[in-house]
Amino acid sequence: MTTSELTLPQDHAPVPAARAPRRRVMGAGKQMHAGPLTYVVLVVFALVSLAPLVWTAMAASRTNTRLAQTPPPLWFGGNLFKNLQTAWDQAGMGTAMFNSTVVAGSITIGTVLFSTLAGFAFAKLKFRFSSTLLLLTIGTMMIPPQLAVVPLYLWMADLHWSNHLQTVILPTLVSAFGTFFMRQYLVQALPTELIEAARVDGASSLRVVWHVVFPAARPAMAVLGLLTFVMAWNDFLWPIIALNQQNPTVQVALNSLGTGYIPDQSVIMAGALLGTLPLLIAFLLFGKQIVGGIMQGAVKG
């Protein structure tokens, strides 16, 4: 009898091979859900972060006499709109808001644009002394800004720009931090092959920057723009030196609320609340686009 004629009995079925243990693999599109502890931690951090803003609003709604008492007020009073109006009139907040919007907006646009171009050059272009220039750029961040106040003011005075907004805008149109930040991002987020492909297709340098570099750098540009706008809006040292009370930014205008024999703390808090509201509105309007750009860059990376 040959081997091919051998058959197994019907009651002896072949033993199946051992199966490998199943592993639960989460799909790429499946969303992870946070546990209750995560929400508790996030709520605690949110409350701690909002506490200074809430306290500022409480203090702005009270009188100066009530703020001096112990214990301090722990709820809102009825003088909020009165104190806001007083701060608006005393500090000239209308002109200050307009000036701060122009200054912060111009600095943000210039910093994002020039820092992206410089970061792209340091990250992807080959030229002589690039490493040395990058080290010099980073080294400027180690110099205290207070050391540049006197020569910078003399330079602005020679240009007859004292008490003008360009005195505050021009020196901060580009930053070493922004250049280094964009350079580090573009090294990983912008493939060199993509630039070479655009060159092969006949794209000029300007076209490469507009259609290749800017789309790839959009998430980092959004983060840099937000940080720059907040820093420019809250800047106090250089504007208080370069500008006067007739043409102030918000921070310079708020400085006038603290004068007097007995400063009215409730009015000062009301002015601080007015100076903070534009930042909150800007984040509420553009926060979704900024976070979306960050997540898009994280997924691509």
Side-chain angles (χ1 to χ4, degrees):
M1 182 179 294
T2 60
T3 306
S4 60
E5 294 176 354
L6 293 176
T7 58
L8 292 174
Q10 296 296 328
D11 55 345
H12 292 79
V15 180
R19 294 183 179 179
R22 292 184 177 181
R23 296 181 180 180
R24 298 182 64 182
V25 181
M26 182 169 294
K30 191 173 181 180
Q31 185 177 4
M32 299 178 63
H33 296 279
L37 181 60
T38 303
Y39 287 102
V40 172
V41 173
L42 292 177
V43 169
V44 171
F45 272 95
L47 293 177
V48 172
S49 301
L50 289 175
L53 181 62
V54 175
W55 165 249
T56 301
M58 290 181 184
S61 64
R62 295 288 183 166
T63 61
N64 196 37
T65 303
R66 180 64 185 90
L67 291 179
Q69 297 177 357
T70 303
L74 298 178
W75 194 245
F76 296 94
N79 296 330
L80 178 60
F81 294 102
K82 177 183 176 181
N83 291 334
L84 290 176
Q85 184 65 42
T86 302
W88 183 278
D89 295 336
Q90 287 185 3
M93 292 298 292
T95 303
M97 288 281 189
F98 176 79
N99 290 343
S100 288
T101 302
V102 173
V103 169
S106 302
I107 293 175
T108 301
I109 294 174
T111 299
V112 172
L113 177 61
F114 295 133
S115 297
T116 303
L117 294 176
F120 165 65
F122 283 123
K124 296 299 178 180
L125 299 183
K126 295 181 180 180
F127 54 95
R128 297 181 62 183
F129 308 113
S130 59
S131 300
T132 304
L133 290 175
L134 180 61
L135 289 177
L136 290 176
T137 303
I138 298 174
T140 59
M141 293 190 294
M142 304 177 186
I143 302 175
Q146 292 82 2
L147 295 180
V149 167
V150 174
L152 188 58
Y153 184 81
L154 294 176
W155 180 29
M156 295 295 111
D158 291 339
L159 295 175
H160 303 286
W161 283 358
S162 299
N163 301 324
H164 290 81
L165 296 183
Q166 57 264 33
T167 309
V168 183
I169 295 173
L170 183 63
T172 51
L173 278 180
V174 66
S175 67
F177 168 76
T179 301
F180 179 72
F181 177 77
M182 296 305 302
R183 186 262 178 191
Q184 293 300 107
Y185 181 84
L186 290 174
V187 165
Q188 300 293 334
L190 182 60
T192 306
E193 293 78 8
L194 192 61
I195 302 175
E196 294 176 351
R199 295 288 191 186
V200 171
D201 291 339
S204 61
S205 298
L206 182 60
R207 193 175 183 88
V208 170
V209 170
W210 185 260
H211 292 283
V212 178
V213 178
F214 283 169
R218 190 176 301 165
M221 293 170 68
V223 176
L224 180 61
L226 177 62
L227 295 176
T228 304
F229 186 85
V230 173
M231 292 177 61
W233 185 275
N234 293 329
D235 189 19
F236 176 75
L237 176 62
W238 178 238
I240 194 64
I241 297 174
L243 302 177
N244 54 23
Q245 294 295 335
Q246 284 69 39
N247 194 30
T249 58
V250 168
Q251 308 307 322
V252 177
L254 292 179
N255 185 57
S256 63
L257 294 176
T259 59
Y261 183 72
I262 302 179
D264 194 336
Q265 299 295 332
S266 61
V267 176
I268 295 175
M269 290 297 180
L273 186 62
L274 285 174
T276 308
L277 286 179
L279 296 178
L280 298 177
I281 294 174
F283 186 79
L284 290 176
L285 292 178
F286 304 105
K288 186 176 181 180
Q289 288 78 4
I290 294 173
V291 174
I294 297 173
M295 295 303 297
Q296 181 183 4
V299 172
K300 288 182 178 180

